[in-house]
Every structure is written in structure tokens, then in C-alpha cells.
């Protein structure tokens, strides 16, 4: 199996979990939309099949064509995220691709856990029972490194980009910033709580129970965004926060350990260890007091994010055309 076969395929089916609105599903819709706009027959297929899934409101803008079943032919490409590998087991002829949007989600997904011993060995290393090895795409350098080391498998990079509202009308007014730290309560909650305890005088704002617009408006008024989660891939919220004018601090975990995925200076990356609490708190206070300086220190990060749509298109052209 080679990537040249992707260029010759007549139809591309992209599997997507139904009823979910997060970074991964949005990226799957972005790929389908771009392929369509470039003249390839591509479809979003919601999983599990045979349910009356509707395109989520947030993704209607991509105008993706939707399919409800996937044919098993040699001229068909099936792309699944790393959380749905078992879907590929029944296909004998189609060109099968795993797009690694995450590493941690794959490790913890029930669908993959039951295949830990059998599916890993037969599918990822030796190929399926009926055909050669599947192909791999990587959203992050972290995922590429993981698959290469764990399964001795290689592939090609296919990253992502932010939604247009974070790229076209960026609000970076430095005069209306609050001494506020924004965080995602689902990312590194225990460690964040420890930081809050040593900084009770600072305003903390969790990104929860908010619309997409409210999230953006909150980020546009804060000075700092922190993320001490596992960084299972090249996460969107830190990039969204950066484009809204926040200075980013992350924990050295997952994709944040890879400069290609999170290209900010080492002074903004910290081990997620109790001994680092006071060090990080001191850094945050310095950012709050000298926001403009630290904002300019992350200019390269924002420029990288701005360039992602064009880079994504170049990757798609290389892989599929």
C-alpha cells in the first residue's frame, strides 16, 4: 500500500463520530470541505452508521456532502480517526487510512483497548488479514513520533488550522486586558487548582458553559491562558487563545514537548510537577505585569498559526493530488 493510491482513488469517505463538536470532528469536516473544493469526491460519514445523524450546526459552514454507507472498492479511500480502528476490519479492497488526530484519545478509547493485543500486531505492523498495511496520517509531530516508535510505522503529516473567526478578525487590543488567567477545566484540573491556591488574588476564568462566541470574547479580554493537560495532539484552544491575544503557558506533556507542535519559547513551558508551582506562579505574575513584552515574545507562534490554512492545503495537495 502506498500514498500514490490516494491520488488515483475516485471517492474519499471520512468517518466522523456523530453528534460531537470538538476540535477533531471539526478537522474532519475541514478536510472533506477542502477536498470537495479542489474537485475530489469526498464525504463525511457519521459513526455509528444507520443512525439519522445531522451535520452539527457549527460545521454547516463547511458545506460537506454526507454519505450514509461506505463501499468496499479498490478506488475508494476510507479515512478514520485513531478512535475508530475497528471500523476498518471488515474492508478487504478499499484503501484504509488512520488519521492520528490524537494519541491519548486512542490510548483510552474503549474501541481500541479491546484490540490492544490482536489489532495492534496484525493491523499496524503486519497488515490486515486480507490486504497490506494501512496508511497513516499525523495531525501532530507527537503522533508521528508515537506511531513510529510504538509500531515502527511511518506516514505523512496532515495537520490542521483554526476556524476563520480566529484568523480573520483577531482582537489583540492590549489596553482592555484584565489581569485574568483563563483555563480549560478539563485540562490539568488538579495542577491548575494548586496554582489557584497560591494565587488567590488573581482572577481565574474557566472556559465552561460558554458558546463559541463567549469563549472568544473571554479570551480577548484575558492576559494569560494556561494548559497543563496531556496535549494529546496539537490542541486548538491554546492556539485560539494566542490569536485572541493571550500569552500561553503550557505543561511539558504530549504535543507540548514538540516544538513543531507548540512553537513557543522554553520559558513558557514547564514540567507538571509540584515543585514547579511557585516558579510558574512567579512567571504568570511577570506576564500580568509586563504583558506587552511577553505578548511580543510569542509573535512567531501567532505567525505560525496564521500560516496553517495555506500549509494544510499544501499538505492535502501533496497527499491527495
Amino acid at each position: 500500500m502506498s500514498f500514490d493510491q490516494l491520488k488515483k482513488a475516485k471517492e474519499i469517505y471520512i468517518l466522523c463520530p456523530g453528534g460531537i463538536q470538538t476540535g477533531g470532528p471539526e478537522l474532519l469536516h475541514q478536510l472533506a470541505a477542502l477536498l470537495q473544493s479542489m474537485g475530489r469526491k469526498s464525504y463525511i460519514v457519521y459513526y455509528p452508521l444507520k443512525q439519522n445523524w445531522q451535520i452539527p450546526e457549527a460545521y454547516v459552514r463547511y458545506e460537506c456532502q454526507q454519505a450514509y454507507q461506505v463501499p468496499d472498492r479498490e478506488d475508494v479511500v476510507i479515512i478514520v480517526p485513531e478512535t475508530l480502528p475497528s471500523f476498518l476490519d471488515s474492508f478487504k479492497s478499499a484503501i484504509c487510512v488512520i488519521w492520528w488526530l490524537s494519541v491519548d484519545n486512542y490510548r483510552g478509547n474503549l474501541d481500541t483497548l479491546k484490540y490492544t493485543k490482536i489489532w495492534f500486531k496484525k493491523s499496524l505492523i503486519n497488515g490486515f488479514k486480507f490486504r497490506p498495511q494501512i496508511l497513516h496520517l499525523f495531525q501532530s509531530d507527537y503522533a508521528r513520533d508515537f506511531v513510529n516508535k510504538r509500531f515502527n510505522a511511518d506516514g505523512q503529516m496532515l495537520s490542521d488550522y483554526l476556524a476563520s473567526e480566529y484568523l480573520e478578525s483577531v482582537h489583540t487590543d492590549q489596553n482592555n486586558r484584565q489581569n485574568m488567567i483563563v483555563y480549560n477545566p478539563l485540562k490539568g484540573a488538579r495542577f491548575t487548582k494548586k496554582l489557584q491556591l497560591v494565587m488567590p488574588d488573581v482572577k481565574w476564568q474557566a472556559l465552561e458553559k460558554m458558546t463559541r462566541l463567549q469563549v472568544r470574547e473571554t479570551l480577548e479580554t484575558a492576559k494569560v491562558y494556561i494548559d497543563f493537560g496531556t496535549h494529546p495532539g496539537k490542541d486548538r484552544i491554546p492556539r485560539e487563545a494566542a490569536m485572541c491575544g493571550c500569552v500561553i503557558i503550557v505543561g511539558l506533556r504530549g504535543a507540548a514537548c514538540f516544538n513543531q507542535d507548540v512553537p513557543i519559547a522554553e520559558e513558557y513551558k514547564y514540567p507538571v510537577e509540584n515543585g514547579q508551582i511557585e516558579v510558574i506562579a512567579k512567571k504568570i505574575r511577570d506576564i500580568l505585569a509586563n504583558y506587552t513584552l511577553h505578548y511580543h515574545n510569542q509573535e512567531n507562534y501567532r505567525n505560525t498559526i496564521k500560516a496553517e490554512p495555506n500549509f494544510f492545503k499544501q499538505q492535502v495537495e501533496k497527499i491527495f493530488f
Side-chain angles (χ1 to χ4, degrees), residues 122-135:
K122 291 185 178 180
S123 302
L124 291 177
I125 299 176
N126 301 318
F128 289 127
K129 180 178 180 180
F130 301 106
R131 55 186 163 69
Q133 184 178 2
I134 58 178
L135 301 174

Side-chain angles (χ1 to χ4, degrees), residues 80-112:
V80 302
E82 77 293 337
T83 55
L84 300 177
S86 64
F87 182 84
L88 302 176
D89 287 351
S90 61
F91 290 86
K92 302 178 182 180
S93 301
I95 305 163
C96 292
V97 181
I98 293 180
W99 191 5
W100 293 81
L101 308 182
S102 159
V103 170
D104 296 16
N105 291 347
Y106 149 81
R107 283 171 167 161
N109 183 265
L110 292 176
D111 180 55
T112 56

Side-chain angles (χ1 to χ4, degrees), residues 129-147:
K129 180 178 180 180
F130 301 106
R131 55 186 163 69
Q133 184 178 2
I134 58 178
L135 301 174
H136 300 275
L137 297 172
F138 309 115
Q139 183 263 3
S140 65
D141 200 58
Y142 171 45
R144 180 203 57 77
D145 182 73
F146 171 80
V147 173

Side-chain angles (χ1 to χ4, degrees), residues 1 35 83 155 211 263 283:
M1 188 73 69
L35 288 169
T83 55
T211 65
K283 184 66 174 182

